[in-house]
Amino acid sequence: MMPSSIRARLTLWYVSLLTVTLLLLGGAGYGVLSYSLSHQVDQALSGVARVLAEHGGSDQNPGFPLDVDEVFRRFFGFSPWERYFRMLDPLGRRDPRHGAERSEKLPVSPIAIENASRGLPTFETVELGEPHPVRILTFPVVQGGRLARVVQVGTSLQSIIETRNRFLLIMAGLLPLGLLLAGAGGWMLARRALLPVDRMTEAANRIGAEHLAERLEETGADDELDRLARTLNGMLARLDAAFSQVRRFTANASHELQTPLTILKGELEVALRSRRSPEEYRETLQSELDEVNRMIQLVDGLLLLARSEAGVLGRGSQLLDLAELVHQVGSRLKVLADAHSVELTIETLEPVLVLGDAEHLSRLLSNLVENGIKYSGPGGRVAISLERLGDRASVRVSDTGPGIPEELREQIFQPFFRSPDAISHRGVGLGLSIARAIAAAHEGSLEVESSPEQGSTFRLILPMRRF
Ligand code: ADP
């Protein structure tokens, strides 16, 4: 089972990798060492055999002329106690004149004699019942083109085996020690590297909905953790903005609901204080009905925005003729335009089909046209036009009003936003945000273009249906 902390996991991985690496390196080292030691022994045996073949055992020079200890010393650097040498005749029989007593034990393998008869040397490793195996070289001495004798030399493999064992012992001792040190080092390094994560966790725990203005510490190192802190800070900033917006929205909504309720209450209290004529009651009730209607409109708008925020404001599936809808809204608002002495013109082409909700789209268009009339003022003009832009339909509502300053062009789409000079118009500031929410629900967009001299133009783009 994997440990649950990253620190422990990192250390475990690190130590495991190091173990594998050290084992591989140790294995390779052991292999190279064994090979070179064996190679060295074989080389030395060849050297000794060659010297003995040249100088010893000839008929003119019976007996070993050289001090074999000396020869061994020359090639091995020392004279091993367990050294073997002897001469054999071409058939592999021992020549009693040459050879050490203890060499009697050396075996003569048929393969070695066979190889010797073909002029080839043979290396063999044999057990002679001694504590360590013996390496033997059977070496042919060729004179006058025929096999004259066979030299056999051997040496115990004790020193090689001891060196190899010493190497294994050192490895076995150093490996756990090295791994222990590396593990402790890895553990400390992981702790150091993950310290910022601990700090981040602490800070993130501290930051609740009430402390969204707090930020995680950025080190400026531009490493992975710094980038993570920056990303989280970006997320916190967005959350902070969203929370503030929700708070503002709630405060504004309560305020907007409170105002008509206070007016209602005041009017009702005044009406009840003394007896009134039926006309006066009627007047009071009418005024109250206006306030109630205003509240219904407000609550209705809030509900629509809430549904849009929740992503459940559907587009509807009615196939609508946008041209007809524009005409209907225009005709309905002509009365309002006339009342404000505003000239309202409508320009549409042939039918433009869109999929949508007729009630919502009428509301969107009405909001734009009503604003145009409201802000143009007497003598102004409002024009509605519909055109096709490829596979999209574009509705433009232009007016000759005061226009919208550049810095407010995005803000006007925020719920409850009203420019300071628009507050006297008694709007609540939901019209444009509702219009944009409806456009978005229809997979369309609503933007504004404006210049102070030429008024404002709102452009609604909707995807068109072709049949
Ligand atoms: P309301 O009209 O109820 O105040 P809206 O959401 O419709 O709310 O508009 C928000 C703000 O956008 C308005 O207060 C006004 O400042 C600005 N605005 C909207 N339409 C126009 C327009 N046609 N010309 C100038 N300003 C406008």
Side-chain angles (χ1 to χ4, degrees):
M1 205 183 76
M2 267 289 191
S4 61
S5 89
I6 293 187
R7 190 176 161 195
R9 256 180 306 186
L10 274 179
T11 314
L12 195 72
W13 273 108
Y14 174 61
V15 171
S16 312
L17 272 179
L18 198 69
T19 311
V20 173
T21 314
L22 287 181
L23 282 178
L24 283 178
L25 278 180
Y30 182 76
V32 170
L33 180 77
S34 301
Y35 172 78
S36 50
L37 286 175
S38 309
H39 186 67
Q40 231 175 328
V41 166
D42 287 356
Q43 293 266 65
L45 282 177
S46 295
V48 174
R50 235 173 241 119
V51 172
L52 294 178
E54 268 175 36
H55 299 287
S58 69
D59 291 340
Q60 292 80 16
N61 187 11
F64 277 113
L66 291 174
D67 177 355
V68 173
D69 274 349
E70 178 54 39
V71 175
F72 266 89
R73 233 176 249 116
R74 216 167 96 204
F75 287 94
F76 285 101
F78 63 95
S79 169
W81 179 72
E82 295 96 347
R83 63 195 181 281
Y84 304 89
F85 58 93
R86 69 175 174 183
M87 288 282 182
L88 304 171
D89 69 8
L91 292 176
R93 288 178 303 230
R94 196 178 82 78
D95 182 345
R97 289 172 300 160
H98 312 298
E101 188 86 352
R102 56 204 306 274
S103 305
E104 285 308 307
K105 287 197 274 178
L106 290 184
V108 181
S109 72
I111 295 174
I113 294 302
E114 158 95 28
N115 282 346
S117 68
R118 286 193 276 127
L120 298 173
T122 307
F123 286 100
E124 291 161 298
T125 304
V126 294
E127 298 282 349
L128 296 181
E130 290 177 7
H132 298 103
V134 173
R135 185 79 169 157
I136 317 171
L137 166 62
T138 308
F139 189 82
V141 181
V142 180
Q143 282 172 350
R146 62 179 191 87
L147 182 65
R149 273 178 306 282
V150 175
V151 175
Q152 258 195 332
V153 283
T155 185
S156 162
L157 292 179
Q158 180 181 2
S159 69
I160 292 193
I161 290 170
E162 278 173 4
T163 310
R164 282 196 320 218
N165 286 349
R166 218 171 298 128
F167 179 86
L168 282 182
L169 212 69
I170 292 172
M171 283 293 291
L174 283 186
L175 194 82
L177 194 75
L179 288 180
L180 206 73
L181 284 177
W187 179 255
M188 310 261 283
L189 275 181
R191 191 185 119 77
R192 238 191 109 149
L194 292 173
L195 217 58
V197 176
D198 287 344
R199 276 207 298 272
M200 248 185 249
T201 312
E202 257 172 48
N205 275 333
R206 234 183 12 249
I207 300 173
E210 296 311 311
H211 301 96
L212 280 175
E214 263 196 51
R215 294 288 175 269
L216 301 174
E217 190 190 327
E218 289 176 26
T219 56
D222 201 30
D223 54 11
E224 289 83 348
L225 293 174
D226 198 42
R227 284 203 291 278
L228 177 65
R230 266 209 305 275
T231 310
L232 290 176
N233 280 342
M235 195 181 75
L236 280 174
R238 287 195 295 279
L239 274 178
D240 195 15
F243 265 80
S244 308
Q245 200 181 342
V246 169
R247 276 194 213 107
R248 250 193 334 267
F249 187 87
T250 317
N252 281 328
S254 334
H255 176 75
E256 291 299 335
L257 283 171
Q258 199 184 25
T259 311
L261 280 173
T262 314
I263 296 173
L264 255 182
K265 184 171 177 269
E267 284 182 355
L268 285 172
E269 280 170 356
V270 171
L272 286 175
R273 216 169 279 155
S274 53
R275 198 174 271 280
R276 314 259 159 186
S277 69
E279 281 71 36
E280 282 173 322
Y281 279 127
R282 201 181 163 71
E283 218 175 280
T284 309
L285 284 176
Q286 186 57 55
S287 159
E288 277 149 18
L289 188 64
D290 286 349
E291 289 305 328
V292 169
N293 278 336
R294 202 172 122 74
M295 278 200 296
I296 289 176
Q297 225 186 336
L298 178 65
V299 171
D300 195 41
L302 288 176
L303 273 178
L304 191 138
L305 282 180
R307 282 168 58 207
S308 153
E309 284 290 317
V312 293
L313 183 64
R315 165 176 73 173
S317 52
Q318 285 169 274
L319 191 58
L320 307 167
D321 178 5
L322 202 56
E324 197 185 314
L325 210 68
V326 165
H327 270 293
Q328 277 173 7
V329 171
S331 320
R332 188 162 42 80
L333 292 177
K334 201 122 184 99
V335 188
L336 182 75
D338 289 345
H340 284 77
S341 312
V342 170
E343 187 193 337
L344 177 63
T345 57
I346 305 164
E347 265 177 55
T348 55
L349 303 163
E350 67 269 31
V352 174
L353 295 178
V354 292
L355 263 187
D357 182 311
E359 198 186 317
H360 284 163
L361 286 177
S362 293
R363 184 170 190 173
L364 187 169
L365 292 171
S366 302
N367 284 357
L368 297 182
V369 179
E370 277 170 18
N371 274 354
I373 296 171
K374 201 159 60 174
Y375 295 107
S376 289
R381 287 189 313 277
V382 174
I384 318 172
S385 66
L386 170 64
E387 55 184 352
R388 293 176 173 180
L389 294 175
D391 56 354
R392 292 170 307 156
S394 155
V395 183
R396 290 158 64 93
V397 178
S398 321
D399 62 52
T400 53
I404 298 158
E406 169 117 46
E407 65 277 10
L408 296 185
R409 274 179 218 159
E410 264 314 299
Q411 288 190 44
I412 56 170
F413 293 100
Q414 298 293 325
F416 298 109
F417 175 84
R418 280 173 293 180
S419 65
D421 47 334
I423 291 183
S424 55
H425 286 291
R426 240 208 140 191
V428 285
L430 286 186
L432 286 180
S433 43
I434 289 175
R436 193 174 247 188
I438 293 173
H442 284 76
E443 291 164 20
S445 63
L446 177 63
E447 303 297 337
V448 65
E449 299 154 10
S450 174
S451 62
E453 309 84 42
Q454 287 165 357
S456 320
T457 300
F458 286 84
R459 182 199 282 265
L460 166 71
I461 305 275
L462 290 178
M464 214 166 64
R465 290 281 142 166
R466 285 183 191 280
F467 288 90

